[in-house]
Structure formats: structure tokens, C-alpha cells
Amino acid sequence: MNWKAAFLIIIFPLMFACSSDDEKPQAEFVSGRIVDAANVGALFNCEWLVEIEGTYYVPKYLNNGYKEDGLEVLLKVAFLEELAECSTTNIQPNYIRIEQIRPAN
């Protein structure tokens, strides 16, 4: 067997086995509301939150242009398993990664 055939037999399947697509959270389109965390009791240390379907999430990054309390937005987000450590209670909100954002109006 030549070295090219050995490469294809051994390395090629490993390339697909090591794919990280399963580990990366899939992004979803949702509507939400930007919330100044200073107005949300135990979450005031979180700075800014995004409320989606009644649940607060902490964005990994929020552009300054969207830091407006009560702003209704449409987002493409990935819901992350990582918990934000900004709550003063034992209930920690999850992080989200915002991939796209725009005002809802």
C-alpha cells in the first residue's frame, strides 16, 4: 500500500470525527428586550441583560448602540451553557452570544 492510500484510510476519517460542529451552540432568531440590569434587583451587577420570553440572559457582548433600557430588538443568538456570575443570589442567568441584532421597529 502506498503512503497516499494509507493517509486517506487513516487521516481522512479522523478529520470528520474531530469536527466541533456538535459542540457549538446553534444560533436562533428571537425577539427580545434590552434591560438595564441596574433596574433588576439581584442582577444589577450584570450591567445589561436581554429578556427573551420572560427569561433574562447576559450577552457576552452588547454594542453600545443597543444599550438602551426597554429597547425591543430582533436577534440571532446562540444560547450558551455558561452561567454568568453577576447575580447576588444563587440563581445565575446564562450567557448568550449575539450574532446579529437590530431594532424591532
Side-chain angles (χ1 to χ4, degrees):
M1 179 183 313
N2 65 30
W3 66 273
K4 289 180 184 179
F7 175 80
L8 290 175
I9 292 170
I10 296 170
I11 303 299
F12 192 69
L14 290 176
M15 290 172 35
F16 291 104
C18 296
S19 176
S20 64
D21 289 341
D22 295 336
E23 298 171 15
K24 186 177 179 182
Q26 296 298 315
E28 301 176 33
F29 287 97
V30 296
S31 60
R33 183 172 63 95
I34 305 299
V35 178
D36 184 347
N39 301 324
V40 185
L43 299 177
F44 68 91
N45 287 331
C46 299
E47 295 186 30
W48 291 96
L49 303 165
V50 178
E51 183 180 10
I52 300 170
E53 296 182 1
T55 302
Y56 291 118
Y57 297 91
V58 178
K60 283 287 197 171
Y61 172 78
L62 181 62
N63 184 297
N64 286 336
Y66 293 96
K67 292 181 179 178
E68 179 185 323
D69 190 44
L71 179 65
E72 298 289 332
V73 291
L74 298 175
L75 312 118
K76 182 178 180 184
V77 299
F79 294 93
L80 307 177
E81 295 295 320
E82 182 181 357
L83 297 176
E85 297 182 10
C86 56
S87 175
T88 59
T89 68
N90 61 352
I91 299 172
Q92 304 290 330
N94 283 72
Y95 278 111
I96 56 172
R97 183 182 64 245
I98 299 173
E99 297 185 2
Q100 295 176 19
I101 185 170
R102 68 178 176 91
N105 296 333

